[in-house]
């Protein structure tokens, strides 16, 4: 995810990327857990708005919750930095 998080993507796109990876790797479902921009106080953890577009430099707080054979673990506090799209680098 960290190599693909790109300006212009939506939170929904990031969740779809994570869900696809979960399912390809054998997870029971594609539920991902929260993916939000990390800013302000801890209220950001309960944000919604899956259509918001990511901007260059945004830092994402990602809590992945894969479930395999009905067991799950919460991978908390992973931070990702949003990069420029490849087209902007050429």
């Amino acid at each position: 995810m960290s190599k693909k998080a790109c300006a212009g993507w939506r939170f929904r796109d990031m969740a779809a990327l994570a869900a696809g990876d979960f399912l390809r790797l054998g997870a029971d479902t594609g539920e991902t857990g929260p993916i939000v921009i990390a800013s302000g106080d801890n209220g950001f953890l309960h944000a919604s708005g899956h259509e918001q577009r990511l901007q260059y430099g945004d830092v994402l707080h990602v809590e992945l919750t894969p479930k395999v054979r009905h067991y799950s673990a919460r991978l908390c506090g992973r931070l990702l930095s949003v990069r420029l799209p490849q087209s902007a680098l050429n």
Side-chain angles (χ1 to χ4, degrees), residues 12-85:
R12 184 177 304 280
D13 300 322
M14 292 300 298
L17 176 66
D21 286 346
F22 284 2
L23 293 169
R24 271 190 296 284
L25 295 170
D28 299 338
T29 69
E31 296 173 63
T32 62
I35 300 173
V36 297
I37 292 177
S39 64
D41 61 17
N42 65 358
F44 76 86
L45 292 172
H46 304 286
S48 61
H50 297 100
E51 300 302 321
Q52 182 177 351
R53 299 278 174 182
L54 303 176
Q55 297 180 21
Y56 172 70
D58 282 346
V59 175
L60 301 180
H61 175 89
V62 179
E63 289 188 24
L64 301 177
T65 55
K67 184 184 289 184
V68 178
R69 296 183 188 159
H70 305 288
Y71 290 95
S72 68
R74 178 169 285 215
L75 309 173
C76 292
R78 180 112 166 100
L79 299 176
L80 304 177
S81 180
V82 177
R83 63 181 178 81
L84 289 172

